[in-house]
Amino acid sequence: MLRSVMILAVCAMPAAASLGLWGGAAAQEQKAVDQSQLPAVSVAEVKRGSFTETILVTGSIVAREEVLVSPQIDGYRIIELLAEEGDRVKAGQVLARLDRNALEAQLAQLNAQLARSDAAISQARSLIVQNEASQKQADAAFARARDLVKTGASTQSIFDEREAAARTAAASVTSAKDGLILAQAEKTQIEAQIREAKVRLGYTDILTPSAGLITRRTARLGAMASLASDPMFRIVTKGEVELDAEIPEAYLPKLQLGRTAIINVAGVDERRGTIRLISSEVDKATRLGKVRIFIGDDPALRVGAFARGIIETSSSDGLGVPPSAVLYTPDGAAVQLVQDGKIMTRRVKLGLRTADSVEVREGLTEGQFVVARSGTLLREGDRVRPVITATTAVSEAR
């Protein structure tokens, strides 16, 4: 009887062991089923990286300084054009010539008048010498008549005649000297007219005041030069260009003179420029301000072309999360942290922003996971199944 009980006990032990093993496997399977039923949530890892905040501006390529070349005399025909649009010119180079025949004839006439005035001056000087000699002779005769009248050897009528002759001779000398002054004045006037004619003659050569690139030419062969018409040539001084861009007023305080900008123009590789001018005025209608980004002499860039500029305003190293991970509440910014499979809301202090990341300066540590696209569907304490996304959380500096 005892032997039978022992055998029965021994047989019962494998069955119990089998029952225990089946129960553990069932519990694990039930746990796996429960985990799979939790809602999947995409999470992003909080990583450290470099941040660069940029501002996008748009505008047109313009001349750094533009020179307008116009004629300085009216009414003369253009007989020669020596420069075209796109030509690079030097300071003092002749761009066009005007008809100068009328001015040359006027100058020849003035030169003849100058020669005649020189002859008139010579005649006036000779007349002065002649009249001075006559005055000397008349004065001597008058002195003798005066002495003779005192002694009674001459009559009063002869004395009066000699006195009148002396005065007439003196007047003739004065008149001759006035004639010399008049002739010299006429010469001075003619010389001034000659200088003016030479200056006007020089204006028939249309010169460029500075070196640069011709961007526009309105002069036409055979046309009449006019001061009231459009400039004959437009020249970009030294060929230097810059981006004339507009920027929202909120970003103006972030800009600094001399800061680097990357310029993008259609069909041209990236160019680098520096901020040369920040407008002190904001347009009342558009709320935009002006900024000038100097590029320099670049033959590949065309004045008037549309361009975009990316300006780096600041940079730092820190922790970053995707912009979609940030919740904006009345109490400030927050993120939904996933820890031990549960949702936890954390207040954070944000820093720089880029297109695909936001810097978090306070509230998180490196290696934590946050909900990649936070929202109102998840609440504090909710259990979730985190799924790591392949999206990079930090934007590297450009």
Side-chain angles (χ1 to χ4, degrees), residues 152-281:
S154 178
T155 63
Q156 184 65 34
S157 61
I158 295 175
F159 174 80
D160 293 339
E161 182 181 347
R162 297 291 187 271
E163 182 181 11
R167 292 182 178 180
T168 301
S172 297
V173 171
T174 301
S175 177
K177 290 182 178 179
D178 291 341
L180 176 61
I181 294 174
L182 179 61
Q184 290 174 337
E186 289 179 352
K187 180 180 179 181
T188 301
Q189 182 180 5
I190 294 172
E191 288 175 341
Q193 292 175 348
I194 290 175
R195 287 195 297 270
E196 180 184 1
K198 288 181 178 179
V199 170
R200 291 173 63 83
L201 193 62
Y203 287 160
T204 58
D205 288 341
I206 309 299
L207 307 178
T208 172
S210 64
L213 174 68
I214 298 177
T215 57
R216 185 181 302 177
R217 191 195 77 179
T218 60
R220 295 293 181 266
L221 198 64
M224 301 297 290
S226 174
L227 298 175
S229 61
D230 292 335
M232 298 174 65
F233 298 90
R234 289 180 177 267
I235 299 176
V236 178
T237 305
K238 299 180 182 179
E240 296 176 341
V241 296
E242 59 188 12
L243 173 60
D244 182 16
E246 293 182 329
I247 184 173
E249 60 179 339
Y251 295 114
L252 285 174
K254 297 183 178 182
L255 300 182
Q256 295 180 1
L257 296 177
R259 187 171 286 276
T260 302
I262 299 175
I263 311 299
N264 292 290
V265 183
V268 182
D269 294 335
E270 286 185 351
R271 297 292 194 270
R272 285 190 170 270
T274 56
I275 298 178
R276 182 185 68 83
L277 176 67
I278 302 173
S279 174
S280 58
E281 182 181 3

Side-chain angles (χ1 to χ4, degrees), residues 42-46 321-322 325 368-372 387-389 391-393:
S42 297
V43 295
E45 185 179 0
V46 180
V321 297
Q368 291 182 317
F369 289 92
V370 296
V371 177
V387 178
I388 300 176
T389 62
T391 304
T392 303

Side-chain angles (χ1 to χ4, degrees), residues 79-123:
I79 61 173
E80 192 174 5
L81 291 173
L82 303 175
E84 296 284 349
E85 293 180 0
D87 290 350
R88 289 185 174 268
V89 294
K90 299 178 181 179
Q93 181 174 333
V94 179
L95 304 180
R97 287 193 172 95
L98 307 180
D99 186 5
R100 55 193 293 162
N101 290 331
L103 291 174
E104 287 177 343
Q106 181 183 0
L107 183 60
Q109 183 180 5
L110 290 172
N111 286 327
Q113 292 178 3
L114 179 62
R116 187 163 57 248
S117 69
D118 286 337
I121 291 174
S122 298
Q123 289 179 351

Side-chain angles (χ1 to χ4, degrees), residues 19-40:
L19 183 60
L21 290 174
W22 180 86
Q28 292 177 0
E29 183 178 355
Q30 182 66 27
K31 184 177 181 181
V33 170
D34 293 340
Q35 185 70 20
S36 65
Q37 291 178 352
L38 294 177

